[in-house]
Amino acid sequence: MTSFNFASQLDSELAFNQVAIPDLWQQKAVTSLRAGKDVVVHAPTGAGKTLIFELWSNLGKLKKGQAIYTVPTRALANDKLAEWRSKGWNVGIATGDLAENLDAPILVATLETQKNRLIRGDGPTLLVVDEYQMLGDQDRGLNYELALALAPSKTQLLLLSGSVANPADVAEWLESHD
């Protein structure tokens, strides 16, 4: 398990708004993913956390397996779907009210729509949990915890957030479930 806390390393507002060439921390996260490690990333909003997934997936040209990119809301899922499809990516969506192209190499989804699949052991190659601070949500946190704790060992994890006070503790908890 690799944990990154980059909030202290980003020392200018310019870094929040422009990511043209991957920063060293993004490169390290992608390298860790490609080495088969689970990765927990804590960095401010706008710092470029999503770019880690985009680079890992070879800009949507995933060579094998499936990646599921989970977000906490249907609106965010629709935004990601539109963004990546506009780039020519083969992307599906599963949000409870919408299920389309479910066998695509990349599936944007709410975590709740994937929970049973993960518990059954039918996990993707990579499970991305964007906004993993939802683990602490009173109403939805248990679904997140179950999905992560019971995901098959073959499923690699990428957790992204900018608002978790204890990312190292989350990484340690995940390691204890391996």
Side-chain angles (χ1 to χ4, degrees):
M1 176 72 60
T2 304
S3 177
F4 298 99
N5 183 353
F6 299 104
S8 62
Q9 295 179 15
L10 298 172
D11 56 3
S12 74
E13 287 188 21
L14 181 62
F16 297 152
N17 297 320
Q18 296 180 350
V19 179
I21 298 172
D23 289 330
L24 182 58
W25 63 273
Q26 292 163 316
Q27 293 174 38
K28 286 181 180 180
V30 172
T31 299
S32 293
L33 284 171
R34 289 184 177 159
K37 297 178 182 176
D38 294 334
V39 176
V40 177
V41 176
H42 180 78
T45 300
K49 296 181 292 291
T50 304
L51 182 62
I52 294 165
F53 169 73
E54 292 175 347
L55 293 171
W56 174 88
S57 73
N58 194 24
L59 301 178
K61 294 173 181 66
L62 196 61
K63 294 188 185 346
K64 61 180 179 174
Q66 185 181 46
I68 298 177
Y69 193 101
T70 66
V71 292
T73 67
R74 294 173 179 162
L76 286 172
N78 287 318
D79 288 349
K80 282 290 168 209
L81 178 74
E83 175 187 343
W84 288 334
R85 281 192 175 167
S86 75
K87 295 177 180 181
W89 294 23
N90 181 6
V91 183
I93 188 168
T95 58
D97 63 338
L98 185 59
E100 179 184 305
N101 198 16
L102 299 178
D103 293 325
I106 297 170
L107 183 66
V108 180
T110 53
L111 190 66
E112 287 86 351
T113 66
Q114 302 303 303
K115 181 180 71 171
N116 288 335
R117 174 183 175 177
L118 294 167
I119 291 170
R120 282 193 318 267
D122 182 21
T125 303
L126 178 70
L127 176 66
V128 181
V129 181
D130 197 352
E131 308 297 344
Y132 77 89
Q133 71 271 10
M134 295 299 295
L135 276 164
D137 184 85
Q138 185 174 5
D139 295 324
R140 297 175 67 193
L142 181 58
N143 285 320
Y144 276 69
E145 189 172 336
L146 283 171
L148 291 172
L150 299 176
S153 59
K154 68 174 183 155
T155 296
Q156 209 175 339
L157 301 173
L158 171 59
L159 278 59
L160 307 170
S161 182
S163 60
V164 173
N166 59 341
D169 292 339
V170 173
E172 185 178 319
W173 172 76
L174 287 171
E175 279 183 348
S176 71
H177 287 86
D178 282 345

